Amino acid sequence: MTPTQLLARTKEVGIEATVEGLIDAQTVVACADANRYQDFRQRVSLAYPKGQQVFIAGSANWGFSLHPEKNLRAFGDHSDIDVGVINEGYFHTTWGELRNYHRSFFYRMPRHAKDALRRNGENVYSGFVSPAWIPDTGNNFRFQHSKILNALSSQLVGFKPVKMLFFKNRVEAIDYYKRGIVLLQIT
């Protein structure tokens, strides 16, 4: 898919239906075929079995980045694999770990670290979070998550680095990816 095709699809069916089609896709750019994509999603589901939905997003799904600073860069050697897992429990567990860190260390943190933690708070408010954002590198939840991401970086996705967001629900996942399309529409 090209940016022009994405915008045409959005005009035809609407922005939410476009995003739903992308996250519900059975094939993605990062995987050679539907079977490899299914195998990858199954591996994610084994690691996070309570996920209601697992999907690849970003340039690894639709072929180019919607991040404003990446200028519609095509999926390629420099790309990573963005994974979404929809599950309120994983979302709340991660948020809880961030809050525990915040309660213990926030008032002793340097300003730049406080700003980063505040940004994570905005993301939680928006319905998404990642264990990778937990500042404490010794945090067991973050460590286990990191091990899972490393294991997911396999031949199924060309050994590219894997990143993951937990979404509180499907509505928040759709809203997150709508932002990129809205930015594309206004540029």
Side-chain angles (χ1 to χ4, degrees):
M1 176 179 298
T2 67
T4 302
Q5 291 169 324
L6 178 68
L7 289 175
R9 173 111 177 111
T10 300
K11 190 173 183 179
E12 178 185 331
V13 301
I15 194 166
E16 287 195 15
T18 298
V19 173
E20 287 177 339
L22 293 169
I23 67 174
D24 293 342
Q26 298 303 303
T27 59
V28 296
V29 173
C31 297
D33 57 46
N35 290 333
R36 281 182 175 243
Y37 185 37
Q38 178 58 31
D39 290 349
F40 179 78
R41 288 186 296 173
Q42 182 63 33
R43 290 187 67 201
V44 175
S45 294
L46 289 172
Y48 292 105
K50 295 179 183 172
Q52 283 87 30
Q53 184 174 2
V54 171
F55 57 91
I56 287 179
S59 66
N61 178 313
W62 42 85
F64 56 92
S65 176
L66 289 173
H67 191 285
E69 296 172 10
K70 294 185 181 177
N71 297 317
L72 304 174
R73 184 171 63 197
F75 181 77
D77 293 340
H78 54 273
S79 301
D80 56 22
I81 307 297
D82 295 321
V83 175
V85 175
I86 298 174
N87 179 272
E88 189 170 358
Y90 297 140
F91 171 85
H92 281 291
T93 297
T94 306
W95 179 18
E97 292 291 331
L98 281 166
R99 285 294 296 134
N100 287 340
Y101 184 86
H102 179 269
R103 280 190 292 274
S104 298
F105 299 105
F106 186 77
Y107 301 104
R108 294 181 277 169
M109 294 169 65
R111 181 167 178 79
H112 73 279
K114 286 181 181 179
D115 290 343
L117 204 54
R118 282 188 187 107
R119 175 69 179 138
N120 291 339
E122 292 173 15
N123 294 335
V124 169
Y125 172 80
S126 296
F128 62 95
V129 68
S130 173
W133 301 345
I134 299 168
D136 178 7
T137 56
N139 178 282
N140 187 55
F141 186 67
R142 175 185 163 161
F143 176 72
Q144 296 304 321
H145 179 73
S146 178
K147 284 176 40 179
I148 290 167
L149 295 182
N150 287 337
L152 290 170
S153 177
S154 70
Q155 77 282 358
L156 294 172
V157 292
F159 297 100
K160 294 185 178 298
V162 175
K163 297 181 179 176
M164 186 179 295
L165 293 175
F166 293 139
F167 291 94
K168 184 174 182 179
N169 54 47
R170 185 171 166 88
V171 170
E172 301 299 358
I174 291 168
D175 187 63
Y176 177 80
Y177 294 106
K178 278 173 47 176
R179 294 175 198 162
I181 296 174
V182 168
L183 290 173
L184 180 61
Q185 288 174 321
I186 60 175
T187 56

